């Protein structure tokens, strides 16, 4: 009979200086994952509230008195010997000068350089939560192209910064024409764009591609060069492992709740999502009945945020 893995709750902080740099600490020799960089913090002890644990750990580790702020993300992650939940908070401020009181190296890192640092699996989704959009629009079918393009512009104007252009009812030149127009409008607005399934057209237009689950299973190498985003729809742990091995930048997992498009489909719920989340370190969007009201819940279960069609598309479009 297998022995259940021990479960631990770890609190960590995003500490930002006046120049906008973020503090990382390096794991010392003799610890698991020695030499890797992480957000400072430590294990919550029995009887401690999360905020108390983080204040204590930062006092012991860095010699500062911290004021704990908003929740950023909680990442469930399974390691060979344990199940960990990494809960990450902003600090609203602190007193003292951070120093490595346990012999650990410190580094103040510009946000756009965080990805260069080798981190434990649970810390990588934190970087994505800090740098990447918390919502991912999947476009609906375009019944009326001018009205659809107007809806896309409205969605972008409301703050959507990552869009998947999907129009499964179109093929050939009508699809290519729509994709070109949509990409041009997103590019003008500074919005990251991915095309659903069309690797060749994505390469031609120099945008990203969102792989369907069947495509993901058939690929052995990343279909686009670094710098052009690659995402994937995933429904099981094996899909997520394949997406990570392929070098995908993020994934979409669902359905969390029943949807109009799949009313009788199997719903994961948040516990099911978290169970899949803990097996990989990819940023993952939750999809299926999601609206912006679900972003906080999504972050509490380790999601980058939400992906949606109806929940992010303007109602009047």
């Amino acid at each position: 009979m297998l022995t259940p893995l021990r479960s631990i709750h770890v609190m960590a902080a995003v500490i930002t200086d006046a120049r906008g740099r973020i503090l990382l600490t390096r794991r010392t020799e003799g610890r698991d994952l020695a030499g890797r960089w992480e957000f400072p913090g430590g294990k919550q002890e029995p009887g401690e509230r999360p905020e108390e644990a983080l204040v204590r750990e930062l006092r012991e580790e860095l010699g500062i008195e911290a004021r704990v702020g908003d929740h950023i993300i909680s990442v469930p992650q399974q390691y060979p010997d344990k199940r960990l939940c990494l809960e990450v908070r902003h600090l609203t401020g602190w007193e003292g000068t951070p120093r490595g009181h346990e012999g650990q190296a410190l580094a103040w890192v510009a946000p756009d350089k965080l990805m260069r640092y080798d981190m434990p699996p649970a810390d990588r989704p934190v970087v994505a939560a800090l740098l990447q959009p918390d919502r991912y629009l999947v476009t609906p079918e375009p019944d009326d192209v001018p009205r659809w393009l107007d809806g896309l512009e409205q969605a972008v104007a409301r703050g959507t910064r990552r869009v998947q252009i999907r129009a499964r009812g179109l093929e050939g030149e009508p699809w290519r024409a729509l994709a070109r127009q949509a990409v041009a409008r997103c590019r003008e607005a500074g919005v990251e764009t991915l095309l659903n399934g069309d690797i060749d057209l994505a390469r031609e237009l120099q945008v990203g591609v969102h792989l369907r689950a069947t495509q993901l299973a058939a690929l052995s190498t990343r279909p686009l060069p670094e710098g052009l985003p690659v995402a994937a729809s995933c429904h099981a742990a094996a899909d997520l492992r394949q997406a990570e091995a392929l070098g995908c930048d993020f994934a979409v997992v669902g359905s969390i709740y029943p949807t109009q498009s799949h009313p009788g489909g199997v719903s994961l719920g948040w516990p099911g999502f978290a169970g899949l989340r803990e097996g990989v370190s990819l940023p993952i969007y939750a999809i299926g009945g999601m609206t912006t009201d679900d972003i906080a819940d999504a972050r509490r279960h380790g999601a980058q945020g939400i992906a949606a069609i109806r929940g992010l598309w303007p109602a009047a479009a």
Side-chain angles (χ1 to χ4, degrees):
M1 183 174 178
L2 293 175
T3 303
L5 295 175
R6 62 192 177 101
S7 295
I8 62 173
H9 194 97
V10 173
M11 297 296 301
V14 171
I15 304 175
T16 306
D17 71 4
R19 294 168 55 184
R21 299 177 303 174
I22 294 172
L23 184 63
L24 298 180
T25 61
R26 196 170 195 179
R27 295 179 70 84
T28 53
E29 292 300 321
R31 302 177 64 193
D32 291 344
L33 305 172
R36 295 196 184 185
W37 294 87
E38 64 185 357
F39 296 92
K43 181 180 174 183
Q44 180 181 346
E45 299 295 345
E48 280 187 314
R49 291 188 298 109
E51 294 83 358
E52 292 172 340
L54 186 54
V55 168
R56 174 185 55 76
E57 284 288 346
L58 295 179
R59 182 187 302 127
E60 295 171 358
E61 184 177 339
L62 300 176
I64 63 173
E65 292 298 323
R67 297 188 294 277
V68 178
D70 293 339
H71 177 269
I72 299 172
I73 191 171
S74 295
V75 183
Q77 189 76 46
Q78 183 173 331
Y79 291 93
D81 62 336
K82 60 180 178 275
R83 276 196 160 96
L84 176 147
C85 180
L86 177 66
E87 180 179 340
V88 186
R89 301 286 195 94
H90 283 294
L91 293 191
T92 59
W94 70 89
E95 297 176 3
T97 301
R99 293 190 173 88
H101 284 224
E102 297 174 349
Q104 73 277 33
L106 308 184
W108 289 98
V109 182
D112 63 346
K113 304 295 194 299
L114 287 171
M115 294 296 292
R116 299 180 182 180
Y117 284 74
D118 185 23
M119 293 184 175
D123 289 73
R124 294 174 194 152
V126 181
V127 176
L130 293 172
L131 302 181
Q132 299 180 32
D134 62 6
R135 61 206 72 187
Y136 181 37
L137 168 64
V138 182
T139 60
E141 290 298 311
D143 296 328
D144 178 281
V145 169
R147 189 157 58 91
W148 184 91
L149 289 169
D150 182 61
L152 179 60
E153 288 190 349
Q154 289 181 49
V156 167
R158 294 179 184 182
T160 295
R161 295 275 116 355
R162 179 174 270 169
V163 174
Q164 179 192 152
I165 306 300
R166 189 176 75 161
R168 293 192 174 181
L170 296 180
E171 296 179 351
E173 189 51 37
W175 156 244
R176 294 172 66 85
L178 179 78
R180 289 191 198 98
Q181 292 180 75
V183 166
R185 297 191 186 202
C186 288
R187 186 168 281 148
E188 184 177 352
V191 171
E192 184 178 87
T193 314
L194 298 90
L195 302 184
N196 178 270
D198 198 330
I199 297 169
D200 291 338
L201 185 56
R203 191 178 293 117
E204 177 186 323
L205 298 179
Q206 288 293 287
V207 295
V209 68
H210 185 102
L211 301 172
R212 300 162 190 163
T214 51
Q215 289 177 299
L216 176 66
L219 289 169
S220 59
T221 57
R222 180 184 168 95
L224 295 178
E226 295 294 333
L228 295 179
V230 176
S233 292
C234 297
H235 306 292
D239 297 337
L240 284 167
R241 289 193 295 270
Q242 169 68 356
E244 191 163 58
L246 202 64
C248 288
D249 298 287
F250 63 93
V252 172
V253 166
S255 178
I256 307 304
Y257 302 133
T259 64
Q260 292 183 32
S261 56
H262 299 85
V266 176
S267 300
L268 285 172
W270 288 120
F273 177 90
L276 293 175
R277 153 83 281 171
E278 70 177 11
V280 294
S281 60
L282 279 172
I284 304 173
Y285 289 95
I287 196 169
M290 298 285 97
T291 72
T292 53
D293 291 339
D294 294 297
I295 291 174
D297 258 352
R299 287 284 178 98
R300 279 191 286 270
H301 291 88
Q304 172 69 20
I306 61 115
I309 301 175
R310 292 176 182 86
L312 293 174
W313 191 254

